[in-house]
Structures are given as structure tokens and as C-alpha cells.
Amino acid sequence: MRLAYTMTEGRGELDPLLHDLAQEAMARGLRVAGIVQVNRDRPGCARCDMDAIVLPDGPVIRISQSLGREARGCRLDPEGLETAVAVAEARLAAGADLLLVNKFGKQEAGGHGFRPVIAAALEAGTDVLVGVNRMNLEALMAFAGDLAERLPAEAAALRDWLPR
């Protein structure tokens, strides 16, 4: 079991990288559970729209509140996140080689969201890869301790880290 994280400075830069990594992992025959954002696949999304696909094959769930194109802030939709967590948790329980979570965010820093799923994956011996931003890095490190390995936000490095 391994726990790795990757991060970028820019907003949304990890989403396409992790989405492509999930596709690569599944093409290699790995059983993947978790969640990645798929906004880039939808033209015309508002800045705060966060649509995520529960791996490996859906559903796509809106995890942000729809505040409109002119919204000045973004808000997570607690019900959408809860649904995504429940589906991902069931997929993990059915067996997975990798848990991929697009963001260890404020909910996870507070012990909620995907944090219990990440803990369950680690207890089961499943490799985990999470995206994190600088704001939540300290909380991730407090949760993961010495287990956390930082990976560069580069496709080749992430592919090399994938379980064989």
C-alpha cells in the first residue's frame, strides 16, 4: 500500500492530468475506484461548475452548487459530494488496485468527504493517489504522516507510479 499526492499552483490544472491517468490505469487493467473531475469534457461550463465521474465508469455527479455564471465564489454541494463518496466507497469495497481522488480539500482536511474512503483504502492495502492544493497540504501531511510521497504533476511520473 502506498499513498502519493501531487499538486500544482494553478486552479484546475490537475483535473485533466488525473482524468487521463485514470484512463491509463484502466487501460492497463487496473481496477480503479475514486473520483476525477470531467469539466473539460463539457463545453460552456461556468467557472465554478464541478462535475466529477465516479471511477471506473460513472455516474457523473455535480459536486458544486449551481450559482450561475456570474457567481463570485464557488461552493461545494454537500449532497453531491456525499453521493460521490458513497458510490466510490462501494466501488472500493468491491475491490480496487488504486483509489484516485482528484482533491484532498477542505472537507477531507476536516475529516469528512473522501478522507474515510482514503483511510479504508489504506487499511485494505490499496494504493492511493490524491491531488492537493497548497492550502490543504498541511492537513494531508498530518493525516498521512511519513506514508505520503510527493509526485511531480507530470504525466510520465504519475504513470510510472501506477501499480504494476
Side-chain angles (χ1 to χ4, degrees):
M1 147 221 43
R2 300 173 300 160
L3 171 62
Y5 68 95
T6 189
M7 57 190 291
T8 62
E9 295 299 321
R11 175 182 160 86
E13 290 177 8
L14 276 180
D15 297 329
L17 187 62
L18 294 178
H19 182 267
D20 291 348
L21 183 68
Q23 300 305 310
E24 169 77 19
M26 291 184 289
R28 290 187 187 184
L30 294 171
R31 297 170 303 155
V32 181
I35 185 173
V36 292
Q37 278 190 241
V38 291
N39 300 43
R40 71 183 180 133
D41 296 339
R42 271 197 35 227
C45 279
R47 182 178 73 83
C48 291
D49 287 349
M50 292 183 287
D51 293 332
I53 186 167
V54 180
L55 300 167
D57 55 3
V60 173
I61 299 170
R62 170 71 45 96
I63 59 171
S64 63
Q65 293 179 7
S66 295
L67 302 175
R69 288 194 173 280
E70 304 304 316
R72 301 191 117 221
C74 304
R75 289 197 192 115
L76 193 63
D77 176 16
E79 288 180 27
L81 180 63
E82 224 176 270
T83 300
V85 168
V87 176
E89 191 171 38
R91 302 272 169 87
L92 177 66
D97 303 305
L98 172 67
L99 176 68
L100 183 58
V101 177
N102 71 309
K103 184 176 180 186
F104 188 96
K106 187 187 282 189
Q107 295 295 313
E108 289 74 21
H112 308 290
F114 278 91
R115 187 164 165 173
V117 181
I118 294 168
L122 294 172
E123 286 177 26
T126 302
D127 289 340
V128 177
L129 175 63
V130 299
V132 68
N133 59 26
R134 197 163 300 288
M135 185 171 67
N136 295 301
L137 180 59
E138 187 177 323
L140 172 64
M141 299 312 289
F143 167 70
D146 293 339
L147 188 59
E149 172 188 359
R150 183 173 181 172
L151 299 174
E154 300 167 356
L158 297 177
R159 279 193 308 270
D160 287 346
W161 180 87
L162 285 174
R164 300 286 171 215

